[in-house]
Amino acid sequence: MDKVFIGTELKFKLEIEASGFDMATDNFKVDLVCGKRTVTKTKDSMATDGEGNYFVCFDTADLGVGKVTAVVTAYIPDADFPDGLRTEVQKLDIGTIRE
């Protein structure tokens, strides 16, 4: 997505690659941020294609006008941390929603 009009429904494939992380078994979430609005998509709420691929689907009307950033948070099993998880966060620029 580069520039889209508000009201457009978007879908993008999410790929998380990190040492020790498996999208099929480990937990993750995506926060879609545009200005002061945030829409959170959990792993369980994402579409899948039966081949292990996850897709983030959202309506731009829920975010409003402006630059959209996806904040991807992966929870990676790692015994070196007290809770047994290593949290990794990455931000991705998705594009701009226009009126």
Side-chain angles (χ1 to χ4, degrees):
M1 168 183 123
D2 185 28
K3 294 177 185 173
V4 299
F5 292 100
I6 194 162
T8 301
E9 294 176 313
L10 296 175
K11 174 180 173 180
F12 68 89
K13 183 178 174 182
L14 180 64
E15 296 180 75
I16 301 173
E17 294 182 10
S19 178
F21 183 78
D22 183 342
M23 287 185 75
T25 58
D26 299 327
N27 203 11
F28 57 89
K29 70 173 183 166
V30 176
D31 293 310
L32 299 160
V33 181
C34 183
K36 294 182 180 183
R37 292 186 180 182
T38 300
V39 172
T40 299
K41 298 293 183 175
T42 61
K43 177 181 178 178
D44 294 340
S45 71
M46 292 182 198
T48 60
D49 63 3
E51 296 180 14
N53 296 306
Y54 287 83
F55 298 89
V56 179
C57 303
F58 65 100
D59 187 338
T60 57
D62 294 335
L63 290 171
V65 175
K67 181 180 173 185
V68 179
T69 302
V71 181
V72 181
T73 305
Y75 304 98
I76 305 161
D78 192 324
D80 292 333
F81 291 85
D83 64 355
L85 293 174
R86 182 178 79 245
T87 302
E88 290 193 13
V89 179
Q90 182 178 16
K91 292 183 180 182
L92 308 168
D93 290 331
I94 301 299
T96 303
I97 301 171
R98 302 179 132 203
E99 284 192 68

